[in-house]
Amino acid sequence: MSKKVKGFLTALLSVIVLFGVLLPSAAYAATVRPTTGTLSIHKLQYNTATAPVIDNNGLVLPVLPPGTSVLPGVTFKVYKVADDATATTIPVGITPTSMVTNAAGLAEFSGLAAGRYLVVEDVTAPGTPSGIESFTPNFLVDVPMMNPDNVSWNTNVHVYPKNQLVLGKAELTKSFEGDSVTPYPVATFALYKGDAADGTADDTLIGSYPTNATTGKINVENLTVGDYYFIETVAPAGYGLNKTPILFSITINDHDVTKYVTDDNFFYPTVDKFITTIGNKTETANINELNTWFIQATIPGDIGDYESYVVTDDLESFLDYENALTVKAGADVLTLGTDYTFAAPAVGTAGPVLTISIDPDALVGYEGQKVTIEFKTSVNNTVTMDDEIKNNATVTGTLDDTPYEEDVPELPEVHTGGKKFVKVGKTTDSAALSGAEFKIFKAGTTQYLQADWSWGSKADARVFTSGADGKFEVTGLAYGNYTLEETKAPTGYNLRADVNFTVGLGSYADTSTATITNAPTLTLPSTGGMGTIVFSVIGSVLMLGAVKLYKKDGVEE
């Protein structure tokens, strides 16, 4: 081998050796780990049954996986641990760096010293979004970290921990007293998220929902974790508004779980009124005669929720209050002053207002039964004949600060009436006769009408006298059949036979005036005048002549 060849080979080997020394140094110089880096945590949420798969290599994702969205408000803590650490338990004695994801769901930890970090999601931190269940366990990450080419360093490491958004459901079933078939009445509810259970500003209104007329239900979906309550805002006509909050909660274990709640609507109380007997709506009476009234009001199924329960009767001025009042719940007599309050008017008070305020708690246990109030009145002498004296009653209540009032649908009536008469002579001109006197008795009895409209003996009976126009009238009688007995005839007229008459609705009207006719007495011949003396003298002369003839005949014989 020539010297030139040896020299070339030697130079070539030297170059090779030099590159062998310099190239590793150059490669090492190009891959030196930076001393600081940034950890960018992108918090995502999903509400599918399984988590979407993310191929997380530390780089920024061009688009988010389908079914995911960013989640702000989540607190992350990062702990600097040893570079060779493998445990994901929270280390003792190390103070973490903490940050909350922003509106874009990003928590960016910049200026971190190179090394290994434990990332922990603090699900207990204040302000943590409700409805989130963390499926991302604690994890380790190196900052900076090698890029996928295993040559260069990634100084901004992007991670995408995912949380499942728990969405629950609620179904409210509404029952309506008295309705068990479709279509159901419709009630409206407000749904709130919160725990105040009173619809205050502290709670969040989710929405307003009517019940379904076919099912009587409300179904609400996509409810995140938290406390909720329904409150009824509109009740069907005739039903009491039930404002008792219906509470339920969605928990982290309730993903796609339906919470079933129920609520009941009860009828508002109704009221009815009767006279003489329960169920009877019409009665008739004399003035001053006692009548018994009954007011019945229903006791609702939710009476225990009522703040007040009051029955009121504003009596007509034609009616006088006559005696003490009684109150029953079902068949049991309630106690004045304990179970109810009532300021009784004086007996004989005309047209008072009766207000009976019953403690709702005294009616608990009587749900579905009735309150019965009984009292007596009499018709006073201010009444108008042929008038239908109708009388209303009202039940009022307050349920959840909502007032309610109901009147009697068909008013009961008490009637009193009379009859007008005119007394005339049985002559060609039917002249009016004054001074005739009459008494009245119940047809078929010996009971005569007294001055106070009661019934008693004939000797004490009230006397009706025809006036100068021949007229007189009877008022304040219960409907029925009566007999008019003339006890004194007008001068020159005979007493007439009894007259039967009927008092009824409209019998007092002028068009119903009855005419009573009296026949005049007969005129006999007068005695003691001149004509009588003449006949007496002639008779005496004839008698004397007859006597003489008789004596003469006797002598001749």
Side-chain angles (χ1 to χ4, degrees), residues 348-384:
T349 301
V353 177
L354 310 180
T355 302
I356 303 95
S357 182
I358 305 173
D359 182 358
D361 290 340
L363 302 179
V364 172
Y366 297 94
E367 293 86 346
Q369 300 184 57
K370 294 181 180 180
V371 166
T372 302
I373 299 169
E374 181 180 344
F375 61 95
K376 296 184 186 298
T377 68
S378 64
V379 178
N380 59 45
N381 58 13
T382 66
V383 68
T384 301

Side-chain angles (χ1 to χ4, degrees), residues 99-430:
M99 187 170 290
V100 180
T101 57
N102 60 20
L106 174 64
E108 192 173 62
F109 295 85
S110 59
L112 297 178
R116 182 161 293 182
Y117 289 87
L118 175 68
V119 180
V120 176
E121 180 180 358
D122 187 357
V123 296
T124 65
T128 299
S130 62
I132 300 302
E133 180 183 1
S134 177
F135 285 90
T136 303
N138 301 344
F139 63 91
L140 296 167
V141 60
D142 290 328
V143 179
M145 69 177 294
M146 289 296 294
N147 278 315
D149 61 8
N150 290 319
V151 173
S152 59
W153 289 97
N154 178 1
T155 57
N156 189 354
V157 179
H158 296 267
V159 294
Y160 294 84
K162 304 177 293 296
N163 282 15
Q164 185 181 37
L165 176 64
V166 175
L167 295 178
K169 303 175 184 178
E171 179 178 283
L172 182 148
T173 300
K174 186 69 170 177
S175 67
F176 300 94
E177 181 184 7
D179 280 280
S180 58
V181 295
T182 58
Y184 294 104
V186 175
T188 302
F189 286 81
L191 176 61
Y192 287 89
K193 185 174 184 179
D195 57 7
D198 58 3
T200 65
D202 296 332
D203 303 318
T204 302
L205 176 63
I206 304 301
S208 181
Y209 305 90
T211 56
N212 186 289
T214 302
T215 65
K217 299 178 184 296
I218 292 174
N219 293 94
V220 184
E221 299 184 350
N222 298 328
L223 299 177
T224 58
V225 167
D227 296 320
Y228 293 85
Y229 57 92
F230 285 103
I231 287 185
E232 188 174 34
T233 56
V234 180
Y239 288 91
L241 189 67
N242 190 347
K243 293 175 67 176
T244 302
I246 307 160
L247 308 174
F248 65 96
S249 297
I250 302 296
T251 70
I252 61 175
N253 297 318
D254 291 336
H255 186 65
D256 258 357
V257 173
T258 300
K259 291 298 180 72
Y260 297 96
V261 294
T262 60
D263 190 47
D264 300 319
N265 266 106
F266 297 96
F267 287 127
Y268 270 129
T270 59
V271 65
D272 211 342
K273 188 175 182 181
F274 310 101
I275 187 167
T276 305
T277 58
I278 293 175
N280 184 54
K281 286 286 186 177
T282 303
E283 189 55 273
T284 181
N286 280 17
I287 287 176
N288 295 338
E289 183 179 351
L290 294 182
N291 289 117
T292 302
W293 298 86
F294 298 90
I295 301 174
Q296 286 198 319
T298 58
I299 302 172
D302 52 351
I303 185 62
D305 296 328
Y306 275 67
E307 290 91 42
S308 66
Y309 185 96
V310 181
V311 178
T312 304
D313 192 335
D314 188 356
L315 292 174
E316 293 284 349
S317 62
F318 310 123
L319 298 177
D320 291 349
Y321 180 76
E322 290 297 347
N323 74 336
L325 167 148
T326 61
V327 181
K328 291 181 179 179
D332 298 328
V333 177
L334 298 184
T335 303
L336 177 63
T338 301
D339 300 322
Y340 69 96
T341 59
F342 171 62
V347 172
T349 301
V353 177
L354 310 180
T355 302
I356 303 95
S357 182
I358 305 173
D359 182 358
D361 290 340
L363 302 179
V364 172
Y366 297 94
E367 293 86 346
Q369 300 184 57
K370 294 181 180 180
V371 166
T372 302
I373 299 169
E374 181 180 344
F375 61 95
K376 296 184 186 298
T377 68
S378 64
V379 178
N380 59 45
N381 58 13
T382 66
V383 68
T384 301
M385 298 304 106
D386 291 338
D387 193 13
E388 300 174 5
I389 307 171
K390 296 183 177 181
N391 220 74
N392 192 18
T394 302
V395 60
T396 58
T398 305
L399 174 62
D400 289 323
D401 298 321
T402 303
Y404 171 77
E405 179 176 313
E406 183 73 14
D407 295 326
V408 172
E410 179 188 354
L411 300 183
E413 304 170 3
V414 60
H415 300 249
T416 192
K419 187 72 174 177
K420 293 179 180 178
F421 301 92
V422 60
K423 183 70 169 175
V424 299
K426 193 174 184 181
T427 57
T428 56
D429 58 358
S430 299

